[in-house]
Amino acid sequence: MSLRTSGWLLGVPLLVLGSAAGGAYLYHRYRDADYEKREAEYQRQLSGHLTEHEKEIEAFNAQLGMMRSQLVTPADLEKKYNALLTARDADFEKFRRDHALVVKSLSDSILELKQRAPDGTEEAHEEPSPPSGPGDTTPSAKPVISYAFADKDGRIHLNDPDIWVQGDEDLEMKQLFRVKGTVVQQKDGSLMAERIQLMEVSADGQGAEQYRELAEAHLVDANFTYANPPQEGPPGDGWMKWGPGWMATMATSFRSEHLLRFGASASVVRLGDVGLAGGLSSDFDSLEGSGGDAFVTYSPTVRGKQLGVALGGGVHLPLGGTQRVRPNLTLNFVVY
């Protein structure tokens, strides 16, 4: 093989590997920078250092139906939820634990609903007095008058068998309410706000699930407590991580015809900075220079930040040749 051909065969993989490594580095820097920005914003807002516009998000606004909002940590939210539990919540709490549900927000609202019932139907009747007993000549002081009222929507029914007697009234109410809740969140940040609306409705008779609004409640007081930390961490977040994590690999083995091999690999599991990986590599010239790789990796960090590369040591298993297992050293560039 000529020197020019060997240089070409070596140069092309180096160019491809260099491009992959550069792209992986830039991608990781972008992800790290994005997460760091979101984490910094979250910590600032969690500590209560808010701008004037952010204070408006957390302020109570009765006119808009906006609750008083508060950002807390997930642990604090769980404590507050447990403090509010009563015997009435036993079934729900069992359901939550059976399905491993996490509390994300709590709300508590007081609304005032003022309404009138015009154009109702009322009836008043003078009931006949019971017959007097023998020898009873005393006339009844007042005639017995019964009264009934029903509004046009059929939600309120009042019956009073004797208007002169207190305590015998019967008031029956059958009301339908529509509750609307809307949660909004900052595009860049962790602050959230909830709007709550309560409206009394009545079936309008035009079809299934068709209702007409009768009255809207006024928000008197409300609190919305929530936890909203950044959901995605930087690559490699956490002490133990199961793969795959894809890498571009540059490998070398002792006493090989070609100094370098190129290929791809994937990390299987990682414990802190140390992990296990496997892959394929080739010198693009022979079966003896091509095969599988199994190796242990070490990912160096600077100030707790991974560099996007991993050093490896293990074995190379050629597809051909007399030596079936060779020691192997790798330099791996993390792609994802």
Side-chain angles (χ1 to χ4, degrees):
M1 182 182 294
S2 67
L3 182 62
R4 178 179 296 180
T5 303
S6 299
W8 183 83
L9 290 176
L10 182 62
V12 172
L14 283 176
L15 179 61
V16 174
L17 188 59
S19 300
Y25 175 77
L26 293 176
Y27 172 72
H28 277 270
R29 289 298 301 167
Y30 169 78
R31 283 196 60 182
D32 286 353
D34 179 66
Y35 174 78
E36 289 169 0
K37 178 182 177 182
R38 288 185 285 116
E39 179 66 19
E41 283 292 289
Y42 169 67
Q43 293 298 334
R44 176 183 65 82
Q45 294 173 339
L46 187 63
S47 63
H49 299 293
L50 306 178
T51 66
E52 292 302 320
H53 287 294
E54 290 174 339
K55 290 178 181 178
E56 293 177 1
I57 296 176
E58 295 209 331
F60 176 77
N61 191 324
Q63 183 178 0
L64 297 179
M66 302 290 292
M67 298 183 174
R68 184 182 299 105
S69 302
Q70 182 185 10
L71 174 65
V72 299
T73 64
D76 289 339
L77 184 65
E78 186 75 20
K79 291 179 181 178
K80 184 171 184 178
Y81 168 77
N82 290 328
L84 295 174
L85 289 176
T86 65
R88 296 192 304 270
D89 304 312
D91 291 340
F92 174 76
E93 181 63 8
K94 182 179 183 301
F95 176 84
R96 185 180 78 94
R97 296 190 181 279
D98 288 345
H99 294 277
L101 303 178
V102 179
V103 179
K104 299 296 292 184
S105 65
L106 298 171
S107 60
D108 182 21
S109 307
I110 298 176
L111 300 98
E112 179 185 44
L113 180 62
K114 290 184 178 181
Q115 54 188 320
R116 300 181 64 186
D119 303 326
T121 302
E122 57 182 353
E123 296 180 358
H125 300 282
E126 183 176 346
E127 303 294 338
S129 301
S132 302
D136 186 2
T137 59
T138 304
S140 176
K142 294 181 180 179
V144 176
I145 299 176
S146 63
Y147 176 80
F149 172 81
D151 73 307
K152 64 178 182 179
D153 295 301
R155 54 185 177 155
I156 301 175
H157 295 271
L158 172 63
N159 290 289
D160 189 353
D162 189 347
I163 64 173
W164 310 114
V165 177
Q166 293 187 5
D168 63 346
E169 300 86 354
D170 181 22
L171 175 62
E172 180 182 345
M173 302 181 69
K174 182 179 180 180
Q175 297 173 274
L176 300 176
F177 294 96
R178 172 179 285 135
V179 180
K180 290 184 177 180
T182 304
V183 177
V184 293
Q185 178 184 342
Q186 285 180 302
K187 288 185 177 180
D188 299 317
S190 293
L191 295 187
M192 300 172 68
E194 182 175 6
R195 182 190 187 199
I196 185 73
Q197 295 172 282
L198 174 67
M199 289 155 286
E200 185 182 8
V201 297
S202 176
D204 62 5
Q206 299 298 319
E209 300 183 358
Q210 298 296 319
Y211 299 94
R212 174 170 49 90
E213 293 184 5
L214 301 178
E216 183 173 359
H218 173 73
L219 188 65
V220 176
D221 194 11
N223 291 285
F224 174 60
T225 307
Y226 60 96
N228 189 31
Q231 296 299 312
E232 295 182 2
D237 217 15
W239 186 77
M240 183 174 182
K241 180 180 179 181
W242 291 92
W246 305 107
M247 300 180 292
T249 299
M250 184 168 61
T252 184
S253 294
F254 306 113
R255 293 189 296 274
S256 296
E257 182 179 354
H258 295 279
L259 177 64
L260 297 177
R261 297 189 315 277
F262 304 91
S265 59
S267 62
V268 180
V269 63
R270 182 173 57 80
L271 303 175
D273 296 334
V274 179
L276 296 176
L280 297 172
S281 62
S282 175
D283 60 8
F284 305 100
D285 188 52
S286 65
L287 292 178
E288 189 175 3
S290 304
D293 300 309
F295 50 92
V296 177
T297 63
Y298 169 72
S299 301
T301 59
V302 175
R303 297 180 180 178
K305 302 295 182 182
Q306 291 192 2
L307 300 180
V309 297
L311 306 176
V315 295
H316 174 66
L317 308 173
L319 296 176
T322 57
Q323 188 175 356
R324 307 306 298 173
V325 179
R326 295 184 177 182
N328 189 34
L329 297 178
T330 65
L331 175 61
N332 308 279
F333 299 89
V334 178
V335 177
Y336 182 78

